[in-house]
Structure formats: structure tokens, C-alpha cells
Amino acid sequence: MTAVEVRELTVRVGDRPLVDGVGFDAPEGGFTAIVGPNGAGKSTLLRAVAGVEHAASGMVLLGGEDLLALPRRQRARILALVEQDATTELPLTGRDVVRLGRSPHESLLGGGDRDAADVVAAALERAGATEFATRDVTTLSGGERQRVLLARALAQQPRILLLDEPTNHLDLAAQLDMVRLVGELVAEGVTVIAALHDLSLAAAHADAVVVLAGGRVAAHGATEATLTPDLIHEVFGVRAEWTRNPITGRPLLAVG
């Protein structure tokens, strides 16, 4: 089955398209990576799928229903986005920020979410952010803030999780934790779509890839079949070869 069907999605600034007629399918309960050179439109595409960036045209379908046509609160009960450089100047604690992820599940007047405290605590723990629960988020490092924002998205309990460069501010150990968490969420049936600049990370862990170049889809499909050496050379201008990770046995894309 297909969880997310992106159809002819276009985002423009003036007359210039940043994302131009993009279409792809993301497998249900799978991990789809969006890859491409800098400026290819990865973050813009992800924001458009989330409904945060206004799309000039196109649809994002789930079970035949256009998510972009739904009211924001209703869409937020289905889909969550973690942006790579989201900041706030408000003096909120980590727990306050994560608690905002429960807003779509409350009544319009607030309240009515009996599970909020437990869900927030579990999200903080799962994202490795419990130690930041009482900290002012404006004092956190980029990586620490990234964990809090991930916890906020988990608190939404989404069916679809969108991640923009999720390992960008994380050290190596935290990157591995993030990869493991994505694997766990996928195993639980969550559909994950992530914009990644690291081809090797996408190659090792994504079930499918969407390759962007100049705001258009250059290729999409199963990861190993799609990321061919010829395509990588054409789009990224580098040499690449598939091999196996000697430690994990997973596919490994050697780039040089």
C-alpha cells in the first residue's frame, strides 16, 4: 500500500519555481529519503508536503484525501514536521515545547487531553530529551534543541513524520540514536520521510529515495536500485560504488 502520494507539487517565489511538478509515492510504514545537491529544493519540498510552505499547485494524498485541503489542526493529528533550524525566543521549557505537540488533540477551548502528561513524558524519553524538560530552550545547543523538537513531533503521535536534516546538529552517537529511533518508528507503522544531505545515510537506511535536482525529480524508487553510480555522478558530480558495511552488513555507498 501507499501511505503518501505527492502529485505535481509546485512551489514558486514570484515566477521562479523552487519545486517544480514533483511527484512520488512514499511506502506506508517505510523510510523514504529525499536527497539532492544543495539548493535542489529538499527542505522546500518537505515543508510543502507538510503544508507549512504554500504550494502553488499539487496535492498530497493519504488514502485518496488531500492533506493540504484539511484544516491545520486536523492535518496535525496525522502529520508532524521537524525542521532543522526551528528556533524560538520565547522563554519556554523543553516540556512546554513538547506539550505544544498535544495541541491538535485538545478541544478548541483547550484541555480535554487526559493522556497529555504521559505522552509528553514518553516523547521526551524516547527522543533522549528528558534532561532538557526543565531547561529554557533558548539556552540549549542546536543538537539539544533538535531532540526537544523531535519529542514535540512524537507527542503529536503522527502517522506520518517528516524530518528535515534530522542529524544536522547531532554528534555521531546521537546520529546513531536517531537512525535507531527512525527504524523503531517505521517498525511500528509510522511513515517517515526525511530530507538528507548525507547520501551514505540514505543508502544505508532508507527503503526508498527521491532524488531532486533543480527542484525536479531526477529519479525515485527503491534505494539501491535508484542510487546507481551513473545517476550519482550525473546529479552530484561524484563517483560512487555500492558495497557492504563490514560491521552491520547493510548496504554501504562509498563516495569519492
Side-chain angles (χ1 to χ4, degrees), residues 25-141:
D25 294 346
E28 182 176 17
F31 176 18
T32 297
I34 301 172
V35 300
N38 288 339
K42 300 186 296 295
S43 294
T44 301
L45 173 58
L46 206 66
R47 287 169 56 83
V49 171
V52 174
E53 189 84 42
H54 173 70
S57 60
M59 298 183 293
V60 178
L61 302 174
L62 177 66
E65 184 173 35
D66 186 5
L67 296 182
L68 300 183
L70 295 177
R72 180 177 297 182
R73 283 172 56 86
Q74 187 176 345
R75 186 167 61 242
R77 290 194 288 269
I78 299 170
L79 181 152
L81 168 67
V82 181
E83 300 189 71
Q84 60 171 314
D85 290 315
T87 59
T88 178
E89 299 303 319
L90 297 175
L92 300 174
T93 66
R95 183 179 287 107
D96 291 336
V97 170
V98 177
R99 182 67 178 78
L100 292 173
R102 298 305 299 166
S103 299
H105 300 275
E106 296 178 342
S107 69
L108 290 175
L109 298 178
D113 183 8
R114 297 178 180 177
D115 299 328
D118 291 341
V119 172
V120 167
L124 282 162
E125 181 176 2
R126 196 163 196 188
T130 300
E131 63 185 295
F132 314 128
T134 59
R135 292 268 303 276
D136 183 330
V137 292
T138 63
T139 70
L140 300 179
S141 69

Side-chain angles (χ1 to χ4, degrees), residues 176-193:
L176 293 175
D177 287 342
M178 174 67 75
V179 168
R180 281 192 286 268
L181 176 56
V182 167
E184 291 173 4
L185 292 170
V186 166
E188 293 166 9
V190 177
T191 299
V192 177
I193 305 174

Side-chain angles (χ1 to χ4, degrees), residues 15-36:
D15 294 330
R16 183 169 68 93
L18 302 180
V19 171
D20 192 4
V22 167
F24 66 90
D25 294 346
E28 182 176 17
F31 176 18
T32 297
I34 301 172
V35 300

